[in-house]
Amino acid sequence: MAQSVKGTRDLFGNEMGWFLRIEDTARGVFARHGYEEIRTPILEEIEVFKRSVGESSDIVNKEMYEFTDKGGRHVVMRPENTAGVVRAMIQHKLLVNNDPKLLYYIGPMFRYERMQAGRYRQFWQIGAESFGIATPESEAESLLMLMEFLHDLGLKHLSLSINSVGTPECRPAFHAAIRDFFQARETQFCEDCHRRIESNPLRVLDCKVPGCQAALEGHPVITDHLDEASLKHHARLKELLTALGVAFEENPRLVRGLDYYTRTAFEVLSSDLGAQSALLGGGRYDGLVKHLGGPEVPAFGWAIGLDRLAMLMQQLHGNAPQNPPALLIPLGEAASLKALTLARDWWSQGLAIQLDTRGTNLKKALTSANRQGTQLALILGDGELEKGVVSAKDLSAGTQETWLLEEVPARLRNR
Ligand code: AMP
């Protein structure tokens, strides 16, 4: 029997229920903040990621689903969505006047990762990006939106960590400091860090290997090397968050490794997630639009993993809330036609009615309704038809009432 491809999975039932609930919540919150949804293709040219995510990153180096299509184009199934959004913005000339542009996306991403709990090769992300605004206020706004979203999902035990990675101008001095520090302790660092210190020194700071974390004790701190404007920016963001009552901690090891990342970097951790504690990450990427061939446009954004969020929701709240429709069960031919007519009328009034169109007997219909989790069955047999009523059977309570047909919409609304 065919199976889903390793690292991918089918979403249905309860997990699907949580996905929908999370997506609906995101759409509601983001729309209130003036963010518009954008959907970019899953396939992008490989250059989009090489030039954005970066050739020194694991994502580009080891994890991309890339292939040559029948027309000889070298394409990638997107490993993340920021690069695609920026590509789209440039292609459609949406950033030319430097007007703010607030966008969000929801969709599947693909990374050929080593398999572990909560890590998939096809996973989903929700992300928000704001273009054209360079202020700490725009970051505070985006973080407030994020917190509102997480709060609306009922998530607790979250912590926000922030840092500043400065600008490409102030980074060489910091790179020199971190290289000196590294060289004095070379043997204590892992092989990957030896590679990183050459290609992407900031990345040494967020190496997850315990030995490297220990060796980093007393490392130079980037906020000591910030230029004046970056320092002011960072101080203002902290001032805003404090005044808004958004709790945060400063984490000098939190970095985004590539040159177009500027100033603010942040992540949100959840103590309910165990080893996979990072729920999301983001930051400012003022250099990216230009780097991908567009105008010079500042930008700030973040991405959250939907799979991990759904797992957390299940852990905290149990199964996704369900609201199954009432099931209308007609018995006999005359009742079947009447049921179609009635249901059409009720659907048009916005009521949730599932119609049993199988033409089975009542016992079978009720047994399968019970199995499917139906809570209310509306039975329409010859007797009911004659009197202009339905028998409304509450399947969980086991009680039954008679409702006049014209009362049904109001009664369903009141349930
Ligand atoms: P990143 O784009 O690597 O910064 O990841 C942002 C978020 O996406 C992470 O915090 C995770 O919640 C989620 N994520 C990244 N990779 C995976 C994966 N392979 N499987 C599930 N979730 C992932």
Side-chain angles (χ1 to χ4, degrees):
M1 204 201 334
Q3 302 281 317
S4 55
V5 171
K6 187 172 174 189
T8 71
R9 71 200 192 289
D10 305 301
L11 294 173
F12 55 90
N14 189 52
E15 193 178 22
M16 191 68 231
W18 278 127
F19 264 63
L20 289 177
R21 174 70 174 250
I22 294 166
E23 291 175 12
D24 286 351
T25 306
R27 287 194 166 91
V29 175
F30 299 172
R32 288 206 289 277
H33 283 248
Y35 285 65
E36 288 170 43
E37 182 163 358
I38 180 167
R39 295 191 196 180
T40 64
I42 283 166
L43 292 180
E44 293 279 355
E45 287 181 5
I46 192 162
E47 280 310 312
V48 171
F49 301 107
K50 279 196 175 162
R51 289 173 63 189
S52 60
V53 182
E55 295 196 60
S56 68
S57 68
D58 280 355
I59 294 181
V60 168
N61 257 327
K62 306 180 197 158
E63 296 171 359
M64 284 201 302
Y65 275 90
E66 50 185 300
F67 59 94
T68 308
D69 73 7
K70 289 190 168 65
R73 294 170 205 90
H74 196 170
V75 293
V76 172
M77 289 168 73
R78 64 183 186 197
E80 58 94 57
N81 211 163
T82 299
V85 169
V86 173
R87 195 264 316 129
M89 294 290 95
I90 298 169
Q91 182 175 336
H92 304 292
K93 300 194 171 50
L94 296 178
L95 298 171
V96 280
N97 296 322
N98 223 351
D99 287 336
K101 196 96 208 151
L102 307 176
L103 297 171
Y104 73 90
Y105 58 80
I106 300 178
M109 311 296 156
F110 303 83
R111 294 182 195 170
Y112 197 83
E113 300 222 43
R114 257 188 314 117
M115 298 302 299
Q116 25 174 324
R119 280 213 165 260
Y120 305 99
R121 290 179 176 171
Q122 174 174 349
F123 60 100
W124 276 258
Q125 282 185 339
I126 299 181
E129 322 274 8
S130 76
F131 293 100
I133 322 172
T135 60
E137 282 76 1
S138 78
E139 298 170 10
E141 183 277 327
S142 177
L143 287 168
L144 281 182
M145 179 169 87
L146 171 60
M147 293 303 168
E148 205 176 313
F149 167 52
L150 298 174
H151 176 266
D152 282 5
L153 291 176
L155 295 184
K156 298 190 183 83
H157 313 123
L158 302 173
S159 56
L160 169 66
S161 300
I162 64 167
N163 193 22
S164 173
V165 295
T167 58
E169 289 73 46
C170 59
R171 226 163 285 148
F174 181 67
H175 283 170
I178 190 102
R179 282 201 177 103
D180 286 349
F181 178 86
F182 186 91
Q183 267 153 21
R185 298 160 184 77
E186 230 167 31
T187 53
Q188 298 170 46
F189 284 94
C190 72
E191 215 174 285
D192 276 343
C193 279
H194 280 88
R195 195 169 42 76
R196 290 186 189 115
I197 199 71
E198 298 307 324
S199 61
N200 199 346
L202 275 188
R203 274 283 177 211
V204 171
L205 292 178
D206 75 348
C207 179
K208 301 289 177 285
V209 176
C212 297
Q213 281 293 314
L216 279 168
E217 191 63 39
H219 67 86
V221 174
I222 190 158
T223 39
D224 291 340
H225 294 259
L226 295 183
D227 56 278
E228 216 178 301
S230 295
L231 209 52
K232 231 173 109 188
H233 185 103
H234 194 49
R236 176 67 175 159
L237 176 63
K238 289 191 286 181
E239 180 185 62
L240 292 170
L241 293 177
T242 307
L244 290 163
V246 177
F248 66 91
E249 55 192 51
E250 287 193 72
N251 176 2
R253 292 189 189 177
L254 176 59
V255 295
R256 312 239 119 199
L258 300 159
D259 273 359
Y260 56 81
Y261 281 115
T262 48
R263 301 186 171 158
T264 308
F266 76 94
E267 69 189 14
V268 174
L269 307 178
S270 160
S271 55
D272 294 320
L273 269 177
Q276 304 284 335
S277 67
L279 193 57
L280 72 120
R284 176 162 287 289
Y285 50 96
D286 287 350
L288 182 60
V289 180
K290 185 146 190 247
H291 194 74
L292 281 176
E296 200 154 335
V297 173
F300 182 82
W302 45 264
I304 187 165
L306 197 39
D307 313 72
R308 231 169 262 184
L309 257 186
M311 191 166 85
L312 199 54
M313 297 297 281
Q314 177 74 29
Q315 213 170 297
L316 295 176
H317 309 297
N319 286 349
Q322 281 183 336
N323 199 4
L327 181 68
L328 179 56
I329 307 172
L331 303 169
E333 233 173 65
S336 299
L337 174 58
K338 180 69 177 172
L340 281 162
T341 322
L342 285 168
R344 176 170 62 183
D345 179 32
W346 294 338
W347 287 323
S348 75
Q349 296 182 48
L351 296 169
I353 306 281
Q354 190 180 334
L355 192 55
D356 190 327
T357 50
R358 293 174 299 175
T360 52
N361 64 38
L362 183 58
K363 189 157 178 268
K364 271 194 185 156
L366 287 178
T367 311
S368 78
N370 261 318
R371 271 198 306 263
Q372 312 257 332
T374 301
Q375 278 162 19
L376 178 69
L378 303 176
I379 302 155
L380 188 67
D382 287 338
E384 283 89 357
L385 206 53
E386 225 165 83
K387 295 190 202 114
V389 298
V390 287
S391 299
K393 193 174 177 63
D394 185 323
L395 295 182
S396 36
T399 52
Q400 189 166 316
E401 293 174 348
T402 302
W403 294 354
L404 285 172
L405 288 178
E406 50 278 18
E407 287 173 3
V408 170
R411 285 185 178 270
L412 288 181
R413 278 197 193 97
N414 288 337
R415 271 176 71 88

